[in-house]
Amino acid sequence: MEMPPARLSHLFMTVFLSSFSAFMVIPAITDVTMAAICPGQDECSLAIYLTGFQQVIIGIGTLVMMPLVGNLSDTYGRKLLLTVPMCLGIIPLAVLAYSRTTKFFYAYYVLRTLIAMICDGSIQCLALAYVADNVSENRRAMVFGILSGIGSCAFVFGNLSARFLSTSITFQAATVIAVLAMLYMRIFLPESIRPGSVSLRTKLLHGEEESEDPSVKKQLFEGLPSLDDMISLVKTSSVFSRAASVAFFNNLGEIGLQSSLMYYLKARFHFSKDQFANLMVIAGVTGTASQLLLMPILVPFIGEEKLLSIGLLFSCAHMFLYSIAWSSWVPYTAAMFSIVIVFAQPCLRSITSKQVGPTEQGKAQGCISGICSFANVISPFVFSPLTALFLSEDAPFRFPGFSIMCVGFVLMIAFTQSIMIRPAPPISRCRGSKCSSSVVVV
């Protein structure tokens, strides 16, 4: 089926606007949290533990929801499933846009936790599946890189906005942009698959014919992916299983960094909202340039498997440099490693997408997102206590960046797994008599 070129441009704008609204508030949220919980302090173990607890709860929720969202989008369409997280994500932003007092912060904390259990990561998961619906396999890594670059571009503009706006205006602007993103998506983004054209339990996992009995289709939750379904999907090929392992350890490290870095920099160098924004702008600008300009050139010559390993190797070096930072300029230097680090995620998702058929892209991306969510559950149990301990006066030895160095060792495991991934023939043919023909070369 011929698809209009505007289809992906509308997806890119949707991702840009939704990411822009989310990234605007990141530099400010640490200061808002500290002011609400531990006013006037640069170190606060309670804030670290609350952040870690939130990540655990969100991880448990998304562990269940990501495979579900991906599977349902294969059946009911990407656009319908995108509507839910984009609508719900507006609510927590609106709370802090109204007030950032302690009571409103805790209201935000509860709402953000509950909504993120359902929605966190789902926009990315569905956007990746949407691209896979519309792009041929040999160009998928490049377009995944462009999609990731759009997200990085939103990251840059979001942090630049936070740099020059007050905290109250930042949250108000983020709320308005989130509403605009949802409206734009509903008005302009076309559906990429015909709802109801794909069975809930795919032939990949069970080799069963789709039931024509309407009463069976009504039993929605009987068709949702089980743990056995996910395990079977991971075992479809050695490439998919190693990609799942890389996704787990990479996300374990990334969440560990997110739960540690800002508190570490605030305690070590007294960073505030503006310094956090500067740091993120540097990482975002280098990452955006790399994904939009370098990655489309390098993928055909080097291959996504090697680019994945290169990105993870630089991730390790980047963590080790953060952990031993001896001056306030060192984190800015480390942030520039993003020019190579950003290769990892698009390459990993492209490798994954090539191991399943065109009617199973939502399931595959949801499975990988579910594995990442499992890492989200585990990571705070490890890194939040480590960060709180080594930033306190009770640390067994003086090494404030010890938890970040441990993140580097975790990423080293992901790197080791990635170098064992070898190019394999893509499993992208239909396994039954029915096949979607909606893929178009971009």
Side-chain angles (χ1 to χ4, degrees), residues 261-396:
L261 182 62
M262 289 188 176
Y263 294 108
Y264 163 68
L265 294 177
K266 191 169 186 68
R268 184 85 170 82
F269 302 114
H270 308 288
F271 273 29
S272 64
K273 176 178 75 74
D274 291 344
Q275 285 75 46
F276 290 142
N278 292 338
L279 190 68
M280 293 175 185
V281 166
I282 292 172
V285 168
T286 54
T288 301
S290 181
Q291 288 169 323
L292 295 180
L293 301 177
L294 285 180
M295 194 169 173
I297 298 172
L298 294 176
V299 167
F301 293 99
I302 298 179
E304 51 209 32
E305 292 81 12
K306 290 182 180 177
L307 275 183
L308 171 62
S309 298
I310 292 170
L312 290 171
L313 179 62
F314 274 80
S315 289
C316 300
H318 158 256
M319 296 303 161
F320 294 139
L321 187 56
Y322 269 134
S323 69
I324 60 172
W326 57 91
S327 178
S328 60
W329 60 266
V330 176
Y332 296 108
T333 303
M336 296 183 70
F337 281 37
S338 294
I339 198 168
V340 180
I341 292 170
V342 293
F343 293 154
Q345 277 296 334
C347 289
L348 179 64
R349 294 292 186 155
S350 177
I351 291 168
T352 299
S353 74
K354 292 180 179 179
Q355 303 307 307
V356 298
T359 62
E360 298 145 356
Q361 292 298 324
K363 183 185 293 292
Q365 299 299 340
C367 178
I368 293 297
S369 296
I371 290 169
C372 292
S373 298
F374 183 53
N376 292 3
V377 175
I378 297 175
S379 184
F381 283 117
V382 178
F383 294 108
S384 292
L386 269 180
T387 303
L389 176 61
F390 279 89
L391 292 181
S392 71
E393 298 296 329
D394 300 325

Side-chain angles (χ1 to χ4, degrees), residues 249 312-313 316-317 320 407-417:
F249 286 107
L312 290 171
L313 179 62
C316 300
F320 294 139
V407 170
F409 289 126
V410 170
L411 289 172
M412 186 65 72
I413 299 173
F415 167 72
T416 304
Q417 290 289 318

Side-chain angles (χ1 to χ4, degrees), residues 42 93 110 117 124 170 195 220 231 272 296 302 305 316 339 410 423:
D42 283 338
L93 294 175
V110 172
M117 288 176 66
Q124 180 198 26
T170 295
L220 173 62
I231 293 173
S272 64
I302 298 179
E305 292 81 12
C316 300
I339 198 168
V410 170

Side-chain angles (χ1 to χ4, degrees), residues 143-219:
V143 182
F144 279 172
I146 293 172
L147 179 64
S148 187
I150 296 295
S152 298
C153 187
F155 183 82
V156 172
F157 281 99
N159 284 283
L160 279 174
S161 301
R163 179 68 176 82
F164 297 107
L165 297 176
S166 67
T167 300
S168 60
I169 295 177
T170 295
F171 282 98
Q172 291 166 6
T175 304
V176 172
I177 294 170
V179 173
L180 290 176
M182 187 271 296
L183 293 176
Y184 183 93
M185 184 273 298
R186 290 302 306 170
I187 295 170
F188 295 107
L189 184 69
E191 184 55 82
S192 64
I193 63 174
R194 189 174 73 254
S197 63
V198 184
S199 62
L200 285 170
R201 289 186 180 263
T202 66
K203 299 176 180 68
L204 173 66
L205 299 181
H206 299 287
E208 296 174 356
E209 293 296 326
E210 183 177 358
S211 174
E212 300 297 333
D213 185 359
S215 64
V216 174
K217 293 183 178 180
K218 290 179 181 178
Q219 296 173 356

